[in-house]
Each structure stands twice: as C-alpha cells, then as structure tokens.
C-alpha cells in the first residue's frame, strides 16, 4: 500500500522516515528528484499494510507546513497508473474527452 506526499520542501528521506515510521512499517520511501538531484517536493512511502497507510493519511494530511513550502503537506493514496495516464491525456486534450480508441479508457 502506497501513499504519496506533496509539499515536502527540502526534507530528506531520513526526515520523512522519522515523520512517517510511527504509523507503521515502511517498506520503501523515495523522494522524486529533478535531473540535478534536487527534491521536487514529492515523495512516495510504501507501507506493509493498507491500515498503516490509512493511519498516515488520517494523521498527517494538512497537519503541518514544511520548511520552504507555502502550503501544508498533502498525504494521500498514490495514484494508479491508469489515473496518472488519464490526467496526462486530459492535459494534452486541454481537458476535453480522451479519444475512445486509446487503451487507457478501459
């Protein structure tokens, strides 16, 4: 079970692990970085159980504003591949409908 976080500022993996490990056993934690190695302010945390994800989301979502951020931390279920592709296609089509012949509409 995976949660994603946004508005994490320049927090390190160690910082985030310390903030989120109290909600359950973390299997994996990764911060998205740009080509220069700087944080994009987003991370993915994989817990051993969905129950642990629920606890982290319920407790941490909008609970604090990280240093260097103007909005509170967002903690939510990570998007599925289908949701992510659909959102990209909507941007490409300027929010219009996605053509029906694409495999992402199933």
């Amino acid at each position: 079970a995976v949660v994603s976080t946004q508005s994490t500022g320049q927090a390190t993996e160690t910082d985030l692990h310390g903030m989120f490990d109290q909600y359950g056993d973390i299997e994996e934690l990764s911060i998205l970085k740009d080509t220069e190695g700087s944080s994009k302010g987003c991370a993915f945390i994989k817990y051993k159980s969905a129950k642990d994800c629920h606890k982290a989301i319920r407790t941490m979502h909008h609970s604090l504003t990280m240093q260097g951020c103007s909005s509170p931390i967002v903690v939510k279920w990570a998007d599925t591949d289908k949701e992510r592709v659909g959102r990209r296609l909507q941007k490409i089509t300027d929010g219009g409908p996605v053509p029906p012949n694409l495999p992402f509409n199933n």
Side-chain angles (χ1 to χ4, degrees):
V2 182
V3 296
S4 69
T5 64
Q6 298 169 339
S7 299
T8 57
Q10 296 302 311
T12 65
E13 288 183 10
T14 302
D15 295 335
L16 293 176
H17 204 284
M19 291 170 58
F20 285 91
D21 68 352
Q22 62 188 308
Y23 304 107
D25 293 325
I26 294 174
E27 291 184 332
E28 188 178 333
L29 188 151
S30 59
I31 295 175
L32 294 183
K33 297 181 179 177
D34 64 19
T35 55
E36 296 175 7
S38 298
S39 171
K40 288 186 169 186
C42 180
F44 292 94
I45 303 164
K46 182 178 181 181
Y47 284 99
K48 286 187 178 179
S49 76
K51 179 181 172 186
D52 295 340
C53 287
H54 281 289
K55 286 191 286 188
I57 293 168
R58 208 171 35 248
T59 307
M60 293 297 293
H61 182 65
H62 284 180
S63 65
L64 61 114
T65 301
M66 303 289 285
Q67 185 175 356
C69 294
S70 59
S71 57
I73 190 169
V74 173
V75 182
K76 64 182 186 116
W77 288 103
D79 293 338
T80 64
D81 289 339
K82 185 175 180 178
E83 291 168 330
R84 197 170 30 261
V85 169
R87 200 170 26 259
R88 286 182 186 153
L89 287 172
Q90 281 187 332
K91 286 181 183 177
I92 291 169
T93 61
D94 291 327
V98 177
N101 59 342
L102 293 178
F104 312 111
N105 286 332
N106 300 334

